[in-house]
Amino acid sequence: VQLALTAAGQLAGAVEQVSLRAQTDEGLRLRLDRLVSVSRISRELNNTFDIKQLIQLVHREGLRTTGAACGSVIFFDLAISADAPHQVQYWHGDLHEPSLSEVETRVANSGAAARIDSFPAGAEPPPHAGARSALIVPILYQQRVAGLIALHGAEEAQFSETDLDICQTLAVQAGIALGNALQFEDQQRRSALLAREMDTMAELLQVSQMLRPTLPLDQSLTAISGAIRQATPFQVNVTSEVNPNT
C-alpha cells in the first residue's frame, strides 16, 4: 500500500509538472506571437503615409492581437487648439458618434489608458449594446493626445495586463506613424506650393519677354490676361483700358 501511495504521489507530481510546463510553454508561445506581431506591425506602419490606411491597419491589428470583439480607432483634428474639446477627424471601426463617450473623454483628457472589466448597471454606460468590457489607450503625438484605440470585449474582464501592454505598444507605433504621415503630407503641400510658385515665375518671365514698348496696348493686356490664367486658378479675368482724358 505504501509503495502504491508513493508511486501515486510521484505520478501526480509528474502530471503537475507536465501541466505547468504546458501552461508555461503556451504563455511563452502567446507572448512570442504577440511580440512578432508588434514587430511586423511596426514595419507596416513605418511604410504607411496614408492616414486612412494607417487607421485601418491599427484597427485590424488591435483586434487581432488582443482578441477584442470590436472597437474603433480615432484620430482627432490637430489643427484646433490643444485646449479646445477634441473633435473626431478620422475614425475606423464601430459606428462612432461625433462626440466622445464618457470613458473616451476621460482618457483623451488625461492621456492615461483605461482597462474596464465590466459596466455595472447605474455606473458608466458601455460604448454600445453587447460591450461588456473595454480597453482604451491614447495615441500620443508631440506630447498631445492625437487619437484613441478603443477596443471592446464581449465578455467581462476580457482584457489582461498583457493586452494593455500590447495595445500601448501599438499606440506608440501608431503615434510615430501618424507623425511620419503628417510630415509627409506637409512636405507634399510644400512641394506643390513650390511647384506653383515656379510655374508662376515662368509664366511672368515669359510675359515680360513678350512685352515691348512697340507692342499695342490691347495685345499687352491680352498677354497679361493669358499669363494670369496659366499661373493662377483664376480662369476668368477682366482687363480694362482707361482713357485719362474721359
Side-chain angles (χ1 to χ4, degrees):
V1 174
Q2 185 63 35
L3 180 61
L5 291 175
T6 301
Q10 292 177 346
L11 180 60
V15 170
E16 183 178 1
Q17 289 180 2
V18 170
S19 176
L20 181 60
R21 186 179 300 111
Q23 293 177 7
T24 302
D25 291 346
E26 179 66 14
L28 290 175
R29 187 191 66 77
L30 289 174
R31 189 165 184 83
L32 179 61
D33 179 63
R34 289 179 172 180
L35 290 175
V36 171
S37 296
V38 169
S39 178
R40 177 179 54 80
I41 294 167
S42 176
R43 291 194 302 269
E44 291 187 30
L45 290 176
N46 288 333
N47 293 327
T48 302
F49 296 104
D50 182 83
I51 293 182
K52 292 183 179 180
Q53 183 181 353
L54 169 62
I55 291 179
Q56 294 174 7
L57 177 60
V58 173
H59 176 261
R60 183 193 72 200
E61 295 301 332
L63 296 182
R64 194 183 69 81
T65 55
T66 64
C70 58
S72 58
V73 177
I74 305 166
F75 279 173
F76 299 133
D77 184 358
L78 299 181
I80 64 176
S81 170
D83 298 327
H86 296 89
Q87 295 184 10
V88 177
Q89 184 177 25
Y90 301 103
W91 67 270
H92 183 78
D94 295 346
L95 182 63
H96 201 280
E97 298 293 333
S99 59
L100 302 178
S101 67
E102 292 183 19
V103 63
E104 289 172 345
T105 300
R106 187 172 73 246
V107 172
N109 291 336
S110 66
R115 180 165 65 95
I116 302 174
D117 292 334
S118 64
F119 294 96
E124 194 169 52
H128 59 77
R132 304 184 64 184
S133 57
L135 186 63
I136 303 176
V137 176
I139 299 173
L140 302 179
Y141 172 66
Q142 293 185 344
Q143 300 180 341
R144 179 179 178 181
V145 176
L148 298 172
I149 300 176
L151 304 177
H152 309 144
E155 304 294 335
E156 292 187 354
Q158 178 169 330
F159 301 109
S160 65
E161 285 295 326
T162 301
D163 293 324
L164 177 59
D165 292 341
I166 292 293
C167 196
Q168 287 178 320
T169 301
L170 180 59
V172 171
Q173 297 297 331
I176 295 173
L178 174 62
N180 293 338
L182 292 175
Q183 291 177 8
F184 178 76
E185 286 188 351
D186 182 64
Q187 185 179 11
Q188 292 291 93
R189 285 193 297 268
R190 291 176 181 272
S191 298
L193 178 60
L194 179 60
R196 288 196 300 269
E197 291 177 349
M198 295 295 292
D199 290 341
T200 301
M201 293 297 297
E203 292 293 337
L204 294 177
L205 178 61
Q206 184 177 359
V207 171
S208 66
Q209 293 174 347
M210 292 173 55
L211 296 178
R212 298 184 301 275
T214 58
L215 191 67
L217 180 58
D218 60 338
Q219 295 183 23
S220 298
L221 294 177
T222 300
I224 294 173
S225 178
I228 292 175
R229 287 196 302 271
Q230 293 293 327
T232 70
F234 304 106
Q235 296 304 302
V236 177
N237 56 79
V238 178
T239 57
S240 302
E241 179 181 348
V242 178
N243 188 344
N245 298 322
T246 60

